[in-house]
Amino acid sequence: MTPVDLIVVGAGPFGLIAAHTWLELNPNDDVLLLESAADLGGVWSKSRMHPIIKTQAPLGMFEFPCYPMEKLPKDKTFHNYFPGSHVTAYLEDFATHKAFSRKTLKDRIVFNSHVKHIIKTDKLWTISITLDTSFTCEKLIIATGLTSTPNLPSFPKDDFSPPVIHTRSLAANIPLLNSPSINDVVVIGGSKSAFDAVQILHSLNKTVKWIIRTSGQGPAFLAAPNAPWPLHSSHDIISMRLVAKMSPCIYEPVDNWSRICHGNKVGIRIVDAIWWFVDWTWRRVANFDRDENMKGLKPGRPLCLSADGLAVSNSEGLWDNVANATVLRDEVESAEGKDLILKSGKRVTCDAVIAATGWSNTYPMFDNALATELELPLPFQTPQEDGKAVAEWETLLAEADKKVVETFPRLANLPTYPHPEPKSTPNKLFRSIIPISGDIDHSIAFVGAIGSAQSLNVAEIQALWAAAYLSKKLTLPTVEKMKQEVALATAWRKRRYLEDGYNVIFEHVQYMSLLLRDLGLNDQRKGGGWRELLEPYVSADFKGILDEWRRLHDLL
């Protein structure tokens, strides 16, 4: 097949804005998007929409800065959080609102194209869909994100007959779950998707046993949806630069605010008191102490150490609805017949299992050799790099950890909390976007490999960063410096959140600022003064970044 200029793997929000940004800069290029599903939108696609799903960010904070979202009347939202179906319609509109060389984004999507294998030959990438169907390209963007490959329960099943449904397929299985043959349902996991599943089952009048293991992070920490005046939502709080300063963060240079908050005993006590107060306020909304059952839904960590397990109680009556489930803090060890056998010895009979068991962050379309060359995450049971590479990484990580502790002494001795053992090696992409040593011709980038409280803002900024890199118009540090930066981010992550996760909830403002500074753009977008510290960042603040970058490079 004749090579195209760019292929984007994935037609979710990150893939759509990546293709759009590239075409804005290269309108005559031949660009394809390969999407495994039958519709666009990724997690917001029609096939994954169910009645409970709502955004985790409010109106004004969940839209591409270049394409404002139509507002909804107040009676269609819950504290400005809005139905997923509105996001689906928005992404459909975005994919068709503009044509480049007489083709819209949607015209360029090849649906039902599950990528099986990707290889590099000379200067071309070959993306195989089936044994006899493949595409080649000069530039490649992987936009499969963090919610594409489900982690399914791995406990032994001896003739276990009930269906096991991952939350990725929850919407498609609602007719089955609503059938008379399904009465007792088990939900496994404590993520926000588990909360949604329990609410759906409650609305279907099913009996629910909710199993949340004690060896993991525990139940998600659900923030209250609203905030004290003059703020409107919990997102207003975490989208203020002043609050961002209260998180020890390596995404920006240490300034006086950072020194006060994290290097001064009085400042540390004040910051700790603020975190405690917000933590207490959000827990109080749930009223966990109403009975013993609800105590099982208490978050396993304090707010300040939560990230991958942080979400918003974004629907009416959530806490009263989930209180109807029987909460079991236990672990499934095996299954037989219609019974789950728990670590405690208890047997739980069920007609169906819903697995809210998370996602794999690996990229199975790359073989182990290429994944190692690109320094992508690999399952731990996979043979790793040669000993010299491992030793180099461990040295870099040790040096980075020392720097993290020196910069933020408060991270030196943190409390210990249960957390799951990581299933894969760390992602070593620079800025969570590009390989350091395996891409000498600037031909591949990854977007959506980091979670955020304002994912569509991050998506547009990452798309511009990736386009600048692939066009060789981005000034990068040396390879050695980039390796040090990746090690620093990994070491910080392990200290800051007690694990090597992928979300930047309290640091999303700093992360976006970091990418903008890399691009040579102004990251202080509130006009300075008190507004920069105290006014929450919204999507409109990043409007026009593409034209700013074009002017910088005389491309207008």
Side-chain angles (χ1 to χ4, degrees):
M1 191 173 184
T2 303
V4 300
D5 297 293
L6 171 72
I7 286 178
V8 179
V9 179
F14 281 85
L16 292 172
I17 191 63
H20 172 85
T21 301
W22 184 267
L23 286 164
E24 284 283 358
L25 295 169
N26 308 277
N28 297 317
D29 273 8
D30 194 358
V31 175
L32 286 180
L33 295 94
L34 304 180
E35 171 55 51
S36 62
D39 45 13
L40 62 84
V43 69
W44 303 104
S45 63
K46 290 178 184 177
S47 60
R48 291 173 70 173
M49 284 302 100
H50 56 68
I52 296 296
I53 193 167
K54 285 187 175 66
T55 59
Q56 288 288 303
L59 286 165
M61 291 185 179
F62 197 74
E63 60 191 40
F64 296 130
C66 68
Y67 190 70
M69 179 182 283
E70 180 184 352
K71 305 308 177 192
L72 285 171
K74 209 165 187 178
D75 63 345
K76 301 290 186 183
T77 68
F78 178 72
H79 294 285
N80 260 2
Y81 298 91
F82 51 98
S85 57
H86 190 58
V87 183
T88 304
Y90 168 78
L91 294 175
E92 288 274 355
D93 289 343
F94 179 75
T96 56
H97 84 280
K98 185 173 182 176
F100 302 90
S101 299
R102 294 183 291 184
K103 293 173 71 174
T104 66
L105 290 180
K106 191 170 184 178
D107 295 333
R108 300 166 185 273
I109 302 173
V110 185
F111 291 106
N112 299 306
S113 298
H114 181 71
V115 173
K116 301 289 181 61
H117 196 51
I118 297 177
I119 61 172
K120 179 83 176 290
T121 306
D122 295 326
K123 292 188 176 182
L124 289 178
W125 292 95
T126 299
I127 299 96
S128 300
I129 307 303
T130 63
L131 285 175
D132 55 359
T133 304
S134 61
F135 303 87
T136 57
C137 61
E138 295 179 4
K139 305 289 185 182
L140 177 62
I141 294 178
I142 306 297
T144 49
L146 295 173
T147 56
S148 292
T149 307
N151 277 329
L152 288 168
S154 57
F155 51 80
K157 305 177 186 69
D158 184 10
D159 297 323
F160 186 65
S161 58
V164 179
I165 302 164
H166 192 273
T167 48
R168 189 185 197 280
S169 305
L170 181 58
N173 282 280
I174 286 179
L176 169 64
L177 294 168
N178 196 30
S179 66
S181 62
I182 304 293
N183 295 300
D184 298 292
V185 184
V186 166
V187 175
I188 300 175
S191 65
K192 178 58 168 64
S193 61
F195 280 78
D196 288 348
V198 171
Q199 288 193 91
I200 288 173
L201 294 167
H202 170 69
S203 72
L204 299 177
N205 296 314
K206 306 300 178 179
T207 300
V208 181
K209 300 285 195 310
W210 190 354
I211 301 172
I212 304 173
R213 62 180 176 170
T214 55
S215 61
Q217 289 188 44
F221 197 126
L222 300 194
N226 56 342
W229 186 89
L231 303 176
H232 301 290
S233 71
S234 57
H235 268 72
D236 281 1
I237 297 174
I238 64 175
S239 297
M240 293 167 57
R241 208 175 274 277
L242 179 61
V243 173
K245 295 285 186 185
M246 296 182 189
S247 175
C249 180
I250 47 82
Y251 290 141
E252 62 183 8
V254 175
D255 59 12
N256 288 333
W257 277 105
S258 297
R259 294 185 186 96
I260 291 170
C261 291
H262 309 295
N264 177 286
K265 289 183 179 180
V266 175
I268 288 173
R269 288 180 180 175
I270 292 172
V271 169
D272 286 347
I274 292 170
W275 278 112
W276 178 89
F277 178 74
V278 178
D279 182 301
W280 174 79
T281 302
W282 287 353
R283 287 173 187 260
R284 187 179 59 169
V285 173
N287 189 16
F288 291 116
D289 293 326
R290 67 180 78 175
D291 57 43
E292 287 300 314
N293 189 61
M294 276 295 287
K295 286 180 181 179
L297 293 180
K298 281 187 177 182
R301 296 183 182 185
L303 171 64
C304 63
L305 295 176
S306 300
D308 291 349
L310 184 64
V312 179
S313 54
N314 57 356
S315 57
E316 188 75 49
L318 180 149
W319 291 112
D320 290 336
N321 290 336
V322 300
N324 289 283
T326 300
V327 180
L328 303 171
R329 298 305 304 274
D330 212 327
E331 303 199 25
V332 180
E333 290 210 322
S334 61
E336 61 181 18
K338 294 186 70 175
D339 290 353
L340 295 176
I341 302 161
L342 308 187
K343 189 175 182 178
S344 64
K346 185 179 295 185
R347 298 175 75 100
V348 179
T349 303
C350 61
D351 301 311
V353 174
I354 295 178
T357 44
W359 310 87
S360 170
N361 66 308
T362 58
Y363 297 89
M365 66 282 287
F366 296 95
D367 63 29
N368 291 340
L370 185 52
T372 299
E373 182 184 349
L374 297 174
E375 298 191 277
L376 301 176
L378 288 167
F380 270 128
Q381 64 268 27
T382 304
Q384 302 300 303
E385 312 102 308
D386 61 76
K388 184 178 178 182
V390 172
E392 180 189 14
W393 172 248
E394 292 299 328
T395 299
L396 285 170
L397 205 55
E399 292 171 351
D401 184 65
K402 183 179 178 181
K403 183 175 180 180
V404 168
V405 172
E406 288 175 350
T407 306
F408 302 111
R410 67 183 305 150
L411 297 182
N413 297 296
L414 290 171
T416 300
Y417 294 96
H419 63 83
E421 289 297 320
K423 292 182 172 63
S424 61
T425 59
N427 191 328
K428 299 176 188 175
L429 297 174
F430 179 65
R431 302 295 194 242
S432 298
I433 301 176
I434 61 167
I436 296 172
S437 55
D439 185 34
I440 58 174
D441 55 355
H442 288 226
S443 64
I444 186 171
F446 296 74
V447 294
I450 191 168
S452 164
Q454 293 191 15
S455 59
L456 268 62
N457 292 340
V458 169
E460 184 162 337
I461 297 171
Q462 279 195 344
L464 179 55
W465 200 101
Y469 167 77
L470 295 173
S471 303
K472 299 184 180 179
K473 295 183 184 298
L474 186 66
T475 302
L476 294 171
T478 64
V479 169
E480 186 59 33
K481 178 63 175 173
M482 286 193 288
K483 286 183 177 181
Q484 291 170 0
E485 290 277 351
V486 170
L488 183 65
T490 304
W492 167 77
R493 181 76 211 187
K494 287 183 176 180
R495 289 271 180 184
R496 175 66 183 86
Y497 290 115
L498 315 180
E499 63 183 73
D500 185 31
Y502 293 91
N503 285 335
V504 285
I505 301 300
F506 301 120
E507 297 84 17
H508 66 278
V509 174
Q510 294 104 313
Y511 177 70
M512 292 188 290
S513 286
L514 176 65
L515 298 187
L516 291 173
R517 291 196 302 271
D518 287 345
L519 289 163
L521 301 180
N522 176 31
D523 69 307
Q524 306 284 307
R525 307 191 69 84
K526 288 293 187 180
W530 68 269
R531 294 183 63 193
E532 189 60 49
L533 280 176
L534 299 176
E535 194 172 283
Y537 265 84
V538 297
S539 298
D541 292 318
F542 303 101
K543 184 178 181 180
I545 59 171
L546 179 58
D547 284 342
E548 291 174 28
W549 188 79
R550 281 170 162 158
R551 279 192 291 271
L552 193 66
H553 293 271
D554 296 322
L555 297 176
L556 275 177

